[in-house]
């Protein structure tokens, strides 16, 4: 990808973060931003040369802020800070998350509020552009003062220390940072006053995770609407409840979008129970069908709130202390991750609920008392075959885990640093569990579509009606990868194929081709 994301000229967007994190877009720094960085560095140099203590410049850190450090020991102070804070443990964090947090730390450096030298920002950009990814570990951050440990592992790389990866092959051992920098022609840095602190004091890990999650959810919400619509149709439910006028009287924005998507997908279907004059049709469907726009819409609105928080953070300077335009260097609490941690937790709740209602729709297909004429468990030969019985178990197991992951991390503060940091956000952990939750959610949606397309085979075989153009296109797509109902076979590969069609966007794209229009 040849796109270049330029920092310091305009606020970053979520799309910018995704471009760098996932698609290796290059990073540049605007000339005006480099000028601001140089100006703020001159202020730090002035403070470093006076006799008064200044936090992060001539003192220790955290609970050791009262210890003044001699001039000749300040480079060692920065090295010690980075080495001691690079205390991560556990599995490696995904490459895209590390690249996102590096971009966001560089974005704060580009504000000219941190007091680093221009060469620090330029070296950071060079490392990102060289595809060098520091090894960051799952555990270590409390989300205050920001994501200290993950960012410290990245700062080690600037110093030519620690371990890195130069590709995304997790099966190869990491390289020494010094070796990777040498191969890329990048000179390691010796950090000066304030620079170590500026490299680690931010909410970048949790914010990067939020940006990636919002990008993914934007697509998965549409896939969830598609899955719900396909289930309503294959269960011969009514589409009357998705009429726009019903949602205008409860005007939540996300609800209207979800209802419009489902109504569009179901248009021209002969399988849905449309009200017809002189005929009895089903008056009400179960909540998991009828209330889909209300549930899916609430998740959309939650994500919109989270996106507003992310957009604010993307135009923020997160550091402590910060260099103000009038030359003051002031301590502050902007590194606290609460705003990001809360919305990460909100999204985990929404994701768990969307997966829960999806699994309930899946379960209806398998029960002859509720599936309106379909065979038990959608088995080709019930009794001899089990059909999709255990696919529903898989969805149910995932949903159970998602409910546990929905327990908020942001209320679980644990004091640290000799009670100096006595209230922390746990935003990093909120982000880690949200990533797992989104993965599970996508699998539950895939199982629902696997189920509804299989049910549609039985409806078509019985000549019960013609499905909508959108669901017909999705059904045809699934049949290119997954066979029609027959004697039971190895089911796991079918679930994997369905999941791939969901997460790559192929299922939604097929529905849109059938519609001849984009879904909201």
């Amino acid at each position: 990808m040849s796109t270049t994301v330029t920092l310091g000229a305009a606020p970053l967007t979520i799309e910018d973060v995704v471009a760098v994190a996932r698609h290796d877009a290059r990073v540049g720094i605007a000339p005006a931003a480099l000028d601001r960085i140089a100006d703020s560095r001159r202020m730090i140099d002035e403070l470093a040369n006076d006799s008064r203590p200044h936090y992060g410049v001539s003192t220790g850190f955290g609970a050791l802020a009262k210890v003044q450090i001699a001039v000749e020991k300040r480079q060692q102070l920065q090295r010690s800070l980075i080495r001691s804070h690079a205390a991560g443990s556990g599995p490696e964090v995904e490459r895209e998350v590390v690249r996102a947090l590096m971009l966001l730390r560089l974005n704060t450096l580009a504000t000219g509020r941190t007091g680093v030298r221009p060469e620090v920002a330029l070296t950071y950009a060079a490392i990102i552009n060289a595809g060098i990814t520091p090894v960051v570990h799952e555990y270590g951050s409390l989300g205050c003062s920001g994501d200290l440990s993950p960012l410290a592992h990245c700062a080690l790389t600037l110093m030519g220390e620690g371990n890195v990866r130069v590709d995304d092959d997790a099966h190869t051992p990491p390289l020494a940072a010094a070796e990777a920098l040498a191969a890329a022609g990048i000179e390691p840095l010796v950090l000066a006053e304030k620079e170590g602190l500026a490299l680690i004091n931010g909410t970048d890990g949790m914010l990067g995770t939020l940006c990636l999650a919002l990008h993914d959810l934007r697509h998965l919400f549409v896939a969830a609407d598609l899955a719900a619509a396909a289930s309503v149709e294959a269960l011969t439910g009514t589409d009357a409840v998705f009429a726009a006028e019903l949602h205008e009287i409860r005007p939540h924005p996300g609800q209207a979008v979800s209802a419009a998507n489902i109504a569009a997908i179901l248009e021209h279907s002969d399988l849905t129970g449309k009200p017809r004059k002189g005929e009895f049709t089903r008056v009400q469907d179960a909540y998991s069908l009828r209330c889909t726009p209300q549930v899916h819409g609430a998740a959309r609105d939650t994500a919109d709130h989270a996106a507003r928080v992310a957009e604010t953070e993307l135009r923020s300077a997160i550091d402590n202390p910060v260099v103000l335009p009038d030359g003051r260097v002031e301590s502050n609490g902007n590194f606290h991750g609460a705003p990001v941690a809360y919305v990460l937790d909100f999204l985990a709740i929404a994701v768990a609920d969307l997966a829960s209602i999806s699994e309930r729709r899946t379960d209806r297909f398998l029960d002859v008392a509720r599936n309106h004429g379909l065979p038990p468990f959608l088995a080709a030969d019930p009794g001899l075959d089990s059909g999709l019985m255990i696919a529903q178990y898989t969805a149910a197991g995932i949903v159970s885990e998602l409910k546990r992951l929905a327990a908020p991390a942001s209320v679980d503060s644990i004091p640290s640093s000799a009670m100096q940091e006595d209230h922390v956000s746990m935003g990093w952990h909120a982000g880690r569990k949200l990533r797992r939750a989104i993965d599970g959610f996508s699998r539950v949606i895939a199982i629902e579509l696997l189920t509804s397309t299989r049910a549609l085979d039985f409806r078509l075989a019985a000549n019960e009606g013609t499905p909508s153009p959108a669901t017909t296109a999705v059904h045809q797509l699934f049949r290119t990868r997954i066979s029609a109902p027959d004697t039971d076979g190895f089911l796991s590969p079918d679930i994997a194929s369905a999941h791939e069609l969901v997460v790559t966007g192929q299922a939604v794209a097929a529905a849109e081709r059938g519609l001849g229009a984009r879904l909201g």
Side-chain angles (χ1 to χ4, degrees), residues 43-265:
M43 299 173 191
I44 293 296
D45 287 338
E46 291 174 7
L47 294 178
N49 292 324
D50 70 25
S51 58
R52 291 177 293 131
H54 300 282
Y55 178 68
V57 177
S58 54
T59 71
F61 308 103
L64 301 176
K66 296 179 181 179
V67 179
Q68 190 158 1
I69 307 300
V71 173
E72 65 273 13
K73 293 184 178 180
R74 290 180 189 167
Q75 287 184 351
Q76 180 59 46
L77 172 69
Q78 303 304 312
R79 284 194 295 271
S80 294
L81 173 70
I82 300 305
R83 290 169 176 169
S84 65
H85 283 54
S89 183
E92 291 182 31
V93 172
E94 303 85 357
R95 179 179 186 268
E96 65 177 33
V97 173
V98 179
R99 285 182 61 82
L101 76 88
M102 292 178 74
L103 171 69
L104 295 170
R105 181 67 341 216
L106 181 57
N107 189 48
T108 283
L109 300 183
T111 65
R113 295 287 177 262
T114 68
V116 302
R117 293 165 294 159
E119 52 261 46
V120 174
L122 291 169
T123 300
Y124 216 127
I127 290 171
I128 295 173
N129 289 336
I132 297 171
T133 307
V135 171
V136 173
H137 299 278
E138 180 95 25
Y139 304 111
S141 175
L142 298 181
C144 194
S145 304
D147 293 315
L148 290 173
S149 180
L151 285 165
H153 281 274
C154 296
L156 271 182
T157 301
L158 273 75
M159 296 162 49
E161 300 182 19
N163 295 318
V164 300
R165 292 193 175 277
V166 293
D167 56 38
D168 56 1
D169 184 358
H171 300 291
T172 60
L175 293 176
E179 180 182 343
L181 292 185
I186 299 171
E187 190 71 26
L189 288 173
V190 176
L191 300 180
E193 293 93 342
K194 176 67 173 65
E195 290 178 339
L197 200 56
L199 289 172
I200 66 173
N201 217 323
T203 56
D204 309 300
M206 62 186 92
L207 176 57
T209 299
L210 176 60
C211 291
L212 294 168
L214 287 168
H215 174 82
D216 292 343
L217 287 172
R218 200 172 294 150
H219 300 285
L220 286 174
F221 288 158
V222 182
D225 288 342
L226 169 60
S231 292
V232 169
E233 180 181 60
L235 286 165
T236 63
T238 176
D239 63 354
V241 296
F242 308 116
E245 59 268 25
L246 295 176
H247 301 279
E248 289 169 0
I249 61 176
R250 193 189 190 192
H252 291 290
Q255 178 176 325
V257 172
S258 181
N261 280 345
I262 296 171
I265 292 165

Side-chain angles (χ1 to χ4, degrees), residues 128-486:
I128 295 173
N129 289 336
I132 297 171
T133 307
V135 171
V136 173
H137 299 278
E138 180 95 25
Y139 304 111
S141 175
L142 298 181
C144 194
S145 304
D147 293 315
L148 290 173
S149 180
L151 285 165
H153 281 274
C154 296
L156 271 182
T157 301
L158 273 75
M159 296 162 49
E161 300 182 19
N163 295 318
V164 300
R165 292 193 175 277
V166 293
D167 56 38
D168 56 1
D169 184 358
H171 300 291
T172 60
L175 293 176
E179 180 182 343
L181 292 185
I186 299 171
E187 190 71 26
L189 288 173
V190 176
L191 300 180
E193 293 93 342
K194 176 67 173 65
E195 290 178 339
L197 200 56
L199 289 172
I200 66 173
N201 217 323
T203 56
D204 309 300
M206 62 186 92
L207 176 57
T209 299
L210 176 60
C211 291
L212 294 168
L214 287 168
H215 174 82
D216 292 343
L217 287 172
R218 200 172 294 150
H219 300 285
L220 286 174
F221 288 158
V222 182
D225 288 342
L226 169 60
S231 292
V232 169
E233 180 181 60
L235 286 165
T236 63
T238 176
D239 63 354
V241 296
F242 308 116
E245 59 268 25
L246 295 176
H247 301 279
E248 289 169 0
I249 61 176
R250 193 189 190 192
H252 291 290
Q255 178 176 325
V257 172
S258 181
N261 280 345
I262 296 171
I265 292 165
L266 293 177
E267 192 172 6
H268 306 304
S269 172
D270 291 336
L271 288 169
T272 55
K274 292 178 170 61
R276 294 177 176 89
K277 188 174 181 179
E279 290 184 23
F280 177 82
T281 54
R282 204 180 312 160
V283 177
Q284 288 189 344
D285 287 317
Y287 286 8
S288 59
L289 305 179
R290 186 179 4 143
C291 301
T292 293
Q294 289 76 12
V295 176
H296 289 199
R300 273 189 163 85
D301 292 342
T302 299
D304 286 345
H305 169 61
R308 288 190 292 273
V309 171
E311 288 160 4
T312 299
E313 290 285 305
L314 287 169
R315 62 176 186 269
S316 300
I318 307 296
D319 193 15
N320 179 48
V322 291
V323 182
L324 297 175
D326 61 8
R328 287 180 295 145
V329 177
E330 296 287 354
S331 290
N332 67 91
N334 283 341
F335 51 73
H336 199 288
V340 184
Y342 290 171
V343 294
L344 289 165
D345 280 335
F346 296 164
L347 289 173
I349 292 169
V351 163
D353 202 36
L354 261 62
S356 177
I357 197 171
S358 170
E359 183 276 332
R360 289 293 80 204
R361 292 189 295 261
T362 294
D363 183 66
R364 297 190 73 80
F365 280 107
L366 308 183
D367 181 358
V368 293
R370 295 178 291 147
N371 68 14
H372 304 285
L374 295 168
F377 302 103
L378 302 184
D381 188 352
L384 177 64
D385 294 327
S386 296
L388 296 184
M389 179 192 293
I390 308 304
Q392 183 267 332
Y393 284 34
T394 300
I398 294 170
V399 168
S400 182
E401 174 157 358
L402 297 194
K403 291 174 182 178
R404 295 191 293 273
L405 293 172
S410 56
V411 298
D412 190 26
S413 175
I414 296 179
S416 57
S417 192
M419 295 300 286
Q420 175 73 0
E421 298 169 9
D422 58 354
H423 185 273
V424 297
S425 78
M426 303 304 292
W428 172 265
H429 291 273
R432 297 306 297 165
K433 68 186 183 66
L434 177 60
R435 281 183 68 84
R436 185 169 178 83
I438 290 172
D439 176 71
F441 170 47
S442 67
R443 296 175 191 279
V444 173
I445 292 297
I447 290 171
E448 182 181 1
L449 278 169
L450 175 69
T451 305
S452 67
T453 51
R454 185 179 177 103
L456 196 56
D457 284 307
F458 290 106
R459 300 291 186 200
L460 292 170
N463 294 314
E464 294 184 34
T466 303
S468 78
T471 55
T472 295
V474 174
H475 180 263
Q476 291 171 348
L477 172 67
F478 269 60
R479 289 296 159 264
T480 66
R481 300 282 301 274
I482 301 165
S483 62
D486 200 349

